[in-house]
Structures are given as structure tokens and as C-alpha cells.
Amino acid sequence: MPVSSGVRKRIREFLDPDDEIQYVFPADIVGSTNPSVFFAVTRKSITIMTTGYLSRKSPKSVVSATPRHQRIGPVETSAGPWFRFNGVDYEIDDEYVSVVHAADAEIRRDAAKPEDPLPDL
């Protein structure tokens, strides 16, 4: 099920006001006592927010923020979808695999663009 507009609104409160959310998906940190997080992929960053102990549906604080040029995946699907990001293993539901792939495809597409040979013109 897609992340609701209410959750997106709460996530925006943790981001720069001039930034724009491109992708949002929930994930669980493998082996954590407080596993539930949201990934918010924006034009500027990949921000991970914890939901706290009492609710899995509302972001409570920012765990980390990484520059947007970094890929999230690849997603391994052999034993349920999971990926490693910044040394931490995350599990996601099957429906969010395509979201991670879409976010990563944008990075690969932008990286494949050649530099402008005449940037001053």
C-alpha cells in the first residue's frame, strides 16, 4: 500500500522547506529493537526517519541524511526483499522494490550523462 498523504505531510516537516519529495517508502532495520523507519528520497538527500516505539506509521526523528547522489540498492530478493544502505540491512515489502529501483534508476541515468564540454557557452 502506498505511503499515505498524511505520512508524507509529517515527513515534509523533517526536510528542508525548499526540497521536494520524490519517493517515500517504509522499511525495517534487520535485527533492531526499534526497526521501523521511513526513507524519504528528495532532490537533495536520502533521509531516514525512525517511527519510535509506539507507532509504525508516523515519523518521529531523523536517523540519518545522505546526499542524493548515492544509490539505495541493489535489492536482494532471494529470501524476501532486503538491501544494505550505509552498512545497515533493511527489509522492505515486495511492493516497494520498484520504488527503490526507480530511485536508483534516476541516479544511474544522471550519472550516465556526459559533462557539458562547453559549460561557459
Side-chain angles (χ1 to χ4, degrees):
M1 179 164 78
V3 176
S4 72
S5 61
V7 170
R8 285 177 175 268
K9 182 178 177 182
R10 288 188 292 277
I11 286 172
R12 272 190 211 98
E13 295 171 5
F14 293 98
L15 304 173
D16 287 336
D18 65 333
D19 209 354
E20 176 183 322
I21 296 175
Q22 296 175 327
Y23 303 97
V24 174
F25 61 93
D28 287 325
I29 301 171
V30 176
S32 176
T33 57
N34 188 17
S36 298
V37 297
F38 283 103
F39 274 72
V41 180
T42 69
R43 289 180 296 117
K44 297 178 180 180
S45 67
I46 300 168
T47 303
I48 304 170
M49 289 154 272
T50 184
T51 61
Y53 291 105
L54 301 177
S55 172
R56 297 184 67 167
K57 298 183 183 203
S58 182
K60 300 294 183 205
S61 64
V62 172
V63 175
S64 71
T66 305
R68 177 64 177 108
H69 66 273
Q70 187 172 346
R71 290 183 58 207
I72 299 168
V75 177
E76 299 291 332
T77 57
S78 58
W82 70 276
F83 60 91
R84 179 169 289 146
F85 184 74
N86 288 342
V88 179
D89 293 340
Y90 296 92
E91 293 178 329
I92 57 174
D93 290 337
D94 290 330
E95 65 189 286
Y96 295 108
V97 172
S98 61
V99 176
V100 173
H101 288 169
D104 284 350
E106 283 188 6
I107 295 299
R108 285 192 304 261
R109 182 187 70 215
D110 290 343
K113 292 180 184 176
E115 289 187 33
D116 186 350
L118 304 168
D120 297 327
L121 293 181

